[in-house]
Amino acid sequence: MILSAPARTRATKRPSLRGRRRSRSGWAPWLILLGLLGCHGPATASTSCSATMTDVAFGTVDPHGGNVDVQATINYSCTITSILSSSRVRMCFSIGVGSSGLGHLTPRRMINGANAMAFQLYKDAGRSLIWATRFNSEGSVGVDLEVGALLGSATNSGSLTVYGRVPTGQSTLVPGSYSNTFGGAHTELVYQYNEFLLGLLGFPASCTSGGNGSGASTFPFVASAVVQKQCSPMFATPSIDFGTQGLLRTPVATTTILSPRCTNTTPYQIGLDNGQHASGNTRRMQSATGDHVSYELYRDASHSLRWGNTQNVDTVSGTGTGAAQDLTVHGRISEQTTPAAGSYSDTVTVTIYY
């Protein structure tokens, strides 16, 4: 009896000891979890954003053509480096006037020496909303982006389309290569962000205020276009009409107008071939029965300078202005033996060299 009493006493103490151990191991994790849930700002997190933009390449621009529309792309991304953190970022993308600008946006311009080509960059496909900077009334373009990391880092990305246009109505453009460089001083990405750890914070008030962090970057690009020397292949070539004649006992004279249109400052020469029915260098009109009437085309009103097709010899020279230029062709039928009555005609090819 005496030996069994201590044994029962030891047995009743052991459960009490186990209960205290369970109590310690049960409360400690809950205290840690509650501490994490109460923390909104990440202990160590880092958000950074960057962007790149493709060039605005208009290619060949016809000064006499319509609008030239192209697109470029801004690719952007934000990265957060943290553990169990997220970041909400508000960004603004600004585009200025470029290194060739004159301090205003309407229009922007590309230059070739002292010559300028107007162009514009827009926010919308309809090309009605000018893409400007956050300091202009037209405004920049804003984007919201959210990125979160479980372990290490994570990145989220997106893209924006920039709509470019060279407007029509620039007929006096000089041939050459035009460009405008938009370097770091002419592009700007600014952003504010809210970083949070297992909590929930909204986006910053704007891309320049609010949040618990900020940053800035640039996205340089080049706008370019080319104007090639050209003369319109479809300039006006009206007929030379000598009218209805009787006996060809006296000369018959008439005129017509050629209206070539060449790019500004482009030298050109216009030649006339001998037609389809010439005899040597004598132009002739022919009837359906094969009879002929001789005639000639001249560069001058006195009918002394024959208009031929040999460059720098008997052609007419000029320099383009971008507008149509009227050149007079002087036609003359000399006195000759009158052939049989009928309709006489010839086809002369006009060639423009530039």
Side-chain angles (χ1 to χ4, degrees):
M1 293 295 294
I2 295 173
L3 292 173
S4 63
R8 285 194 298 271
T9 301
R10 284 194 297 271
T12 57
K13 290 179 180 179
R14 288 183 185 124
S16 176
L17 290 172
R18 293 192 193 96
R20 284 195 295 272
R21 291 191 188 99
R22 285 196 298 271
S23 176
R24 292 192 188 99
S25 63
W27 280 103
W30 288 104
L31 292 173
I32 293 171
L33 182 57
L34 287 173
L36 290 173
L37 289 173
C39 179
H40 290 283
T44 56
S46 176
T47 298
S48 62
C49 300
S50 62
T52 61
M53 180 170 164
T54 59
D55 289 336
V56 182
F58 289 100
T60 300
V61 172
D62 181 355
H64 306 127
N67 297 329
V68 179
D69 293 339
V70 298
Q71 297 180 11
T73 302
I74 296 176
N75 294 300
Y76 59 86
S77 65
C78 292
T79 299
I80 183 171
T81 303
S82 182
I83 298 176
L84 299 177
S85 294
S86 295
S87 185
R88 286 182 169 171
V89 188
R90 182 152 285 172
M91 297 177 280
C92 288
F93 296 84
S94 294
I95 302 177
V97 298
S99 61
S100 301
L102 293 177
H104 54 78
L105 292 166
T106 50
R108 288 179 164 101
R109 66 179 203 151
M110 295 175 280
I111 62 170
N112 168 32
N115 306 299
M117 177 190 297
F119 79 105
Q120 195 52 270
L121 301 175
Y122 297 92
K123 306 173 186 177
D124 63 318
R127 291 170 171 78
S128 61
L129 303 173
I130 294 175
W131 194 316
T133 75
R134 57 192 176 94
F135 303 106
N136 300 111
S137 58
E138 294 89 348
S140 58
V141 172
V143 172
D144 288 343
L145 190 68
E146 184 169 354
V147 57
L150 292 178
L151 295 173
S153 66
T155 299
N156 197 3
S157 60
S159 64
L160 294 168
T161 300
V162 181
Y163 300 90
R165 168 172 287 177
V166 172
T168 187
Q170 301 186 69
S171 61
T172 59
L173 286 172
V174 173
S177 297
Y178 293 76
S179 66
N180 189 348
T181 300
F182 291 78
H186 308 287
T187 65
E188 179 193 58
L189 162 60
V190 294
Y191 57 94
Q192 294 284 130
Y193 57 84
N194 266 328
E195 292 177 342
F196 52 91
L197 180 63
L198 295 181
L200 186 62
L201 294 176
F203 285 95
S206 71
C207 58
T208 58
S209 64
N212 50 36
S214 63
S217 183
T218 62
F219 46 98
F221 67 95
V222 176
S224 64
V226 174
V227 174
Q228 296 180 342
K229 292 181 179 180
Q230 64 170 303
C231 292
S232 172
M234 299 302 292
F235 59 82
T237 54
S239 298
I240 299 176
D241 188 359
F242 289 100
T244 300
Q245 305 297 327
L247 296 176
L248 300 178
R249 293 177 178 176
T250 58
V252 178
T254 188
T255 61
T256 192
I257 300 294
L258 298 180
S259 300
R261 184 176 62 180
C262 297
T263 45
N264 195 9
T265 74
T266 298
Y268 65 87
Q269 295 184 47
I270 292 183
L272 306 179
D273 76 356
N274 287 336
Q276 295 180 329
H277 310 293
S279 175
N281 281 333
T282 300
R283 292 182 171 104
R284 299 188 304 174
M285 293 178 282
Q286 181 173 286
S287 68
T289 58
D291 293 320
H292 298 92
V293 171
S294 300
Y295 74 100
E296 200 49 83
L297 303 175
Y298 298 91
R299 293 170 278 162
D300 62 325
S302 61
H303 305 114
S304 61
L305 301 174
R306 184 178 188 273
W307 195 329
N309 198 32
T310 303
Q311 293 185 67
N312 302 313
V313 176
D314 56 5
T315 56
V316 171
S317 300
T319 300
T321 64
Q325 296 174 289
D326 291 343
L327 303 176
T328 302
V329 181
H330 301 271
R332 185 173 185 265
I333 297 176
S334 300
E335 180 182 352
Q336 58 191 277
T337 300
T338 305
S343 295
Y344 291 77
S345 65
D346 190 18
T347 300
V348 175
T349 299
V350 181
T351 302
I352 185 163
Y353 304 93
Y354 59 92

